[in-house]
Structures are given as C-alpha cells and as structure tokens.
Amino acid sequence: MEKLVDLEFSNVDLTISEKSKHLKPSFVVNDPDGALEVCRDTQRLNLSNFRIQIDAVKDEHYRQFEAICKLAKAVKVSSLTVPSGELGTPFNEEVEHLRELVAIAAVEGIVVSMHTHVGCLSEDADTIKVLCDNVKGLGVTLDPSHFICREDSPANYEKILSYVRHVYLRDTTKSEMQVRVGQGEVEYGKVISQLESVHYKRALTIHMPPLPDVDQMAEMRKMRLLMESLL
C-alpha cells in the first residue's frame, strides 16, 4: 500500500480469496470486525472494488458472499467482481447462481460484475450478453486482455460495453497474458474511447502481477502515467 501511495495512486482494488495475502472469504465470515480493520488500514487509499474468489460451495458459498457484501457496504465499496462458471457449466445453473449473488448484493446496494475470462463462460461476448439479459442487474468487469490472449483469434467485445461496471488493464500479446507496458497489443486509446461511448465513469484498475526480472514499480508508474495521458 505504501508503494502505491508513493506512486501517487489514490485507489486500490482488493482481492478476497483463500489464496490472498490480504483477505480470505473464510476470515471475512468468521471475523467481520477483523476484516473491517484490514480494509481500513489502506494507507489513505480508497477501496474501489472487491475481486472475489470463493472456494466454498452451495450454502456456505452464499454465506461467505453475504458477509463480503456487508463488509463492502461498511467500507463504502459499491462494486464486486465475481468469476463466471468454467466452460461446460450448464447455462441454467449459471443463471441461477448469478441471480442469487445479485439478489444478495442488492440488499446492501452493491453492484455485481462478472469477470471476462478465458476458459470460463465469460470468454465469449455473445454468452456474456445472454447471461446479463437473463440476470437483471448483473454487470461486467471488462478485461480486454482475455479477448486478445486466447488460443483462437482475438475476439470483439463491443456488444457488452453497455454492461461494463469495472475494468482491468495490463499489456498483453496473443501468446502472453501480461508483458511489459508498451510491448503488447492493447490499444488503450481505443479502449478508453469505447468506454466513453457508453458514458462509463467508473474505475480503471491496473491489474499487473509482478513479472520475473521486471521492476514492478516502474511498470506501475508507466501504466499510471499512460492512463492519465488518455483521460
């Protein structure tokens, strides 16, 4: 967090996962006060979104999700990003699952967005649109990299722009999900223009895990300056 402040970022996107070093869903549900304290210790950074990955299934899954929604409301986070089902998940089953998540979040006034991701139902824009049309209130967390780096040819995502509620950005090639800034094929200016065309006014999150032998802070600074130049 201190490094992000030094780089002049003002907001941070927090991942809640059993693999996370920050917060785990099981911790949120079992120690809500402790989770609240973690979220308030952000070195003056505002929380813009929770990226949620819950391993628990059935009733426990929804119990943990409900606890996360209550935490989000307490720290004034209005956006939650959730994964969609893996490829092969029955469509009706996915619709019912997403409807349950949206209904739980709506009680706290929280928006739920499905992460566009290769290997999931959300890798295809047509499927995403049908899911959003069948789950009232469901949004999309747009990750353009997952429409570029895929075994088949790059895909178009324009038809889902009106559903976008959150955005993840990094630089990407057709064969590498993340490369150094400036070495990939993401057309940031085009992405910004597309979002402006649907009056998008929410967050842009730089989603760049460390790369081997690369100065992570320098990469983050380059991306921040690039975003500022385009906005």
Side-chain angles (χ1 to χ4, degrees), residues 11 21 32 56 84 102 110-111 124 127 134 179 190 195 218:
N11 299 277
K21 296 178 181 179
S84 68
V102 169
I110 310 293
V111 174
D124 176 72
T127 302
N134 278 275
V179 295
K190 180 179 179 180
L195 293 171

Side-chain angles (χ1 to χ4, degrees), residues 179-182 206 208 211 214-224:
V179 295
R180 297 185 67 172
V181 178
I206 299 173
M208 292 170 41
L211 290 172
V214 173
D215 184 339
Q216 173 74 353
M217 293 303 103
E219 290 295 293
M220 294 288 285
R221 185 185 299 277
K222 281 194 291 185
M223 185 64 105
R224 181 182 65 78

Side-chain angles (χ1 to χ4, degrees), residues 92-109:
N92 289 340
E93 178 183 307
E94 183 68 4
V95 167
E96 291 305 313
H97 171 64
L98 291 170
R99 281 177 177 169
E100 183 67 19
L101 296 182
V102 169
I104 293 170
V107 173
E108 307 297 342

Side-chain angles (χ1 to χ4, degrees), residues 8 14 18 34 81 84 89 125-126 130 146 160 164-165 171 189 217:
E8 299 182 25
L14 191 65
E18 291 302 326
T81 293
S84 68
T89 301
D126 289 320
V130 175
H146 285 268
I160 63 171
V164 175
R165 302 292 180 269
D171 216 347
M217 293 303 103

Side-chain angles (χ1 to χ4, degrees), residues 7 30-31 40 45 52 54 74-75 83 106 110 117 127 136 151 153 155 158-159 185 193-194 199 204 213 216:
L7 291 173
N30 292 319
D31 188 359
R40 286 175 172 167
L45 291 168
I52 303 170
I54 299 175
V75 295
I110 310 293
H117 202 289
T127 302
K136 186 177 180 181
E151 290 184 1
S153 58
E158 287 191 17
K159 65 180 61 177
E185 301 178 27
S193 295
Q194 289 173 321
H199 309 293
L204 300 174
D213 303 318
Q216 173 74 353

Side-chain angles (χ1 to χ4, degrees), residues 146-194:
H146 285 268
F147 289 92
I148 295 173
C149 183
R150 46 204 297 153
E151 290 184 1
D152 53 358
S153 58
N156 189 295
Y157 54 80
E158 287 191 17
K159 65 180 61 177
I160 63 171
L161 286 171
S162 62
Y163 301 99
V164 175
R165 302 292 180 269
H166 196 65
V167 178
Y168 288 143
L169 294 171
R170 67 182 76 72
D171 216 347
T172 302
T173 66
K174 294 175 183 177
S175 59
E176 296 289 337
M177 184 59 69
Q178 183 180 326
V179 295
R180 297 185 67 172
V181 178
Q183 295 183 355
E185 301 178 27
V186 178
E187 299 179 59
Y188 301 103
K190 180 179 179 180
V191 172
I192 299 299
S193 295
Q194 289 173 321

